[in-house]
Amino acid sequence: MVAHLSIGELSARSGVAPSALRYYEEVGLISAERTSGNQRRYLRPTLRRVALIRSAQRVGLTLDEIAEALDTLPRDHAPTKADWARLSRSWRPRIDAQIERLERLRDKLDGCIGCGCLSLKTCALNNPHDEVAGRGPGAVFLEPTGRRPR
Amino acid sequence: MVAHLSIGELSARSGVAPSALRYYEEVGLISAERTSGNQRRYLRPTLRRVALIRSAQRVGLTLDEIAEALDTLPRDHAPTKADWARLSRSWRPRIDAQIERLERLRDKLDGCIGCGCLSLKTCALNNPHDEVAGRGPGAVFLEPTGRRPR
DNA sequence: CCTTGACCTCAAGTCAACTTGAACTTGCAC
DNA sequence: GTGCAAGTTCAAGTTGACTTGAGGTCAAGG
């Protein structure tokens, strides 16, 4: 059981390319010690950190946001229960919201199959207020994109 | 109730910037008729099409994939029930998978709070087989990224 | 007629998140 | 001690999804 991981090892275990790991370091998401010969040696907790980063990306967080969240975790010691709880709590609403959006979309698509939505008037995917032009933007049945699909 | 929408109107109703709409046209996602003065005039169903495109992006589909899916819909007439059903069926697993991933992540974070995961050995975010180096990549508790966070 | 705002095209720029390549160095197995 | 896979830096390139800007056109009101 090695205490330090080379970049290749961390890459293999995390499934993240070495170039990406170097990039993560560059933007301050992870850090590494160096051997006398200037090679990176990662501490074991880095593995967990990288896994967390990947997970967070899934939720739709940018690396910047992830960095911000991770900065609330202590750099010097393993995070305490409280540290984790704080982080988890801050991401939780985001995850829930994302799930909800997806469920809504799924239901909408389902509904479309059965609803005879071919008549544009009743389709859930269609804006109910579409004829009421001028009363605010219509057809925006989705929440504002929030810069995600960028 | 107008039969044709100018790009500005479509933009306002769909919440998608004109430049984006032109881009969508460039990559073949939508199309428009032209006035004698060369201005775009969109047919009403385009509104629904654009909404669908945005939804699909949420699920994590690229514009290429969306174009592919939309190509299975008829260009000439409004999609039939069967057309919709086909499209919905093809996206459904994707949506479900995404939801499942998010739920797993949420549960993992929750678990981490209560599980005393500070001992690296038991944390769900940590790879259970991490000590078994060489037996395949460890710590890949997440599904292969599938090129999404790119 | 003239202005004004919405529209047009086309080329170039941007941004995140990496990847690739060149040119060079380390570390370990034989 | 030598070979070579695996590591290093740094600059530049890539991809997706747009946005911005320059330079010009069109349509309606005053």
Side-chain angles (χ1 to χ4, degrees):
Chain A
M1 194 190 307
V2 269
H4 294 282
L5 301 167
S6 71
I7 196 167
E9 285 159 353
L10 181 58
S11 170
R13 293 200 176 189
S14 65
V16 175
S19 61
L21 292 173
R22 292 197 193 94
Y23 177 71
Y24 287 169
E25 183 174 330
E26 199 183 312
V27 299
L29 280 166
I30 59 176
S31 59
E33 297 172 353
R34 298 298 183 120
T35 64
S36 60
N38 197 35
Q39 299 200 354
R40 271 163 262 253
R41 287 304 119 114
Y42 297 98
L43 296 172
R44 288 288 300 293
T46 307
L47 193 46
R48 185 156 53 142
R49 205 174 163 96
V50 170
L52 199 57
I53 292 168
R54 294 309 256 197
S55 307
Q57 285 190 297
R58 274 269 179 51
V59 190
L61 294 167
T62 65
L63 292 187
D64 269 8
E65 292 169 312
I66 297 169
E68 197 183 330
L70 287 183
D71 275 353
T72 73
L73 293 182
R75 281 213 166 275
D76 44 341
H77 62 85
T80 68
K81 214 165 188 164
D83 293 328
W84 269 113
R86 185 160 20 76
L87 200 157
S88 171
R89 257 198 310 280
S90 85
W91 283 356
R92 177 85 196 239
R94 191 120 184 187
I95 299 177
D96 287 342
Q98 187 94 352
I99 289 176
E100 218 185 290
R101 266 198 297 271
L102 286 168
E103 279 169 349
R104 247 201 313 280
L105 172 59
R106 181 182 59 186
D107 296 345
K108 253 162 202 156
L109 278 179
D110 274 6
C112 253
I113 293 181
C115 78
C117 71
L118 315 165
S119 83
L120 296 180
K121 308 182 195 222
T122 56
C123 179
L125 272 175
N126 202 25
N127 173 28
H129 305 302
D130 198 20
E131 10 278 83
V132 196
R135 296 244 272 135
V140 190
F141 74 91
L142 299 163
E143 297 71 35
T145 301
R147 220 92 308 267
R148 200 83 303 286
R150 207 262 126 123
Chain B
M1 193 189 310
V2 271
H4 294 283
L5 301 168
S6 73
I7 197 168
E9 286 160 353
L10 182 58
S11 170
R13 294 203 176 186
S14 65
V16 175
S19 60
L21 293 173
R22 292 197 195 94
Y23 176 71
Y24 287 170
E25 183 175 330
E26 199 184 313
V27 298
L29 281 166
I30 58 176
S31 58
E33 298 171 355
R34 296 299 181 117
T35 66
S36 59
N38 198 33
Q39 300 199 355
R40 271 162 264 252
R41 287 305 120 117
Y42 297 97
L43 295 172
R44 289 286 302 291
T46 307
L47 193 46
R48 186 154 55 140
R49 205 174 164 97
V50 170
L52 198 58
I53 292 168
R54 294 306 257 200
S55 307
Q57 284 190 299
R58 274 271 178 51
V59 191
L61 294 167
T62 65
L63 291 187
D64 269 8
E65 293 168 311
I66 297 169
E68 198 183 329
L70 287 183
D71 276 353
T72 73
L73 293 182
R75 282 213 167 276
D76 44 341
H77 61 85
T80 68
K81 213 165 187 164
D83 292 328
W84 268 112
R86 186 161 20 74
L87 199 159
S88 170
R89 257 199 309 279
S90 86
W91 282 356
R92 179 84 197 238
R94 193 120 182 188
I95 298 177
D96 286 344
Q98 187 96 350
I99 290 175
E100 217 185 292
R101 266 197 299 270
L102 286 169
E103 278 170 350
R104 247 201 312 279
L105 173 59
R106 182 181 60 186
D107 295 347
K108 253 162 203 157
L109 278 179
D110 273 6
C112 253
I113 293 180
C115 79
C117 71
L118 315 164
S119 83
L120 296 180
K121 307 182 195 226
T122 56
C123 177
L125 273 174
N126 203 24
N127 172 29
H129 304 302
D130 198 22
E131 9 279 84
V132 196
R135 296 246 270 135
V140 191
F141 73 91
L142 299 163
E143 298 69 35
T145 301
R147 218 90 310 265
R148 199 83 306 284
R150 207 263 127 119

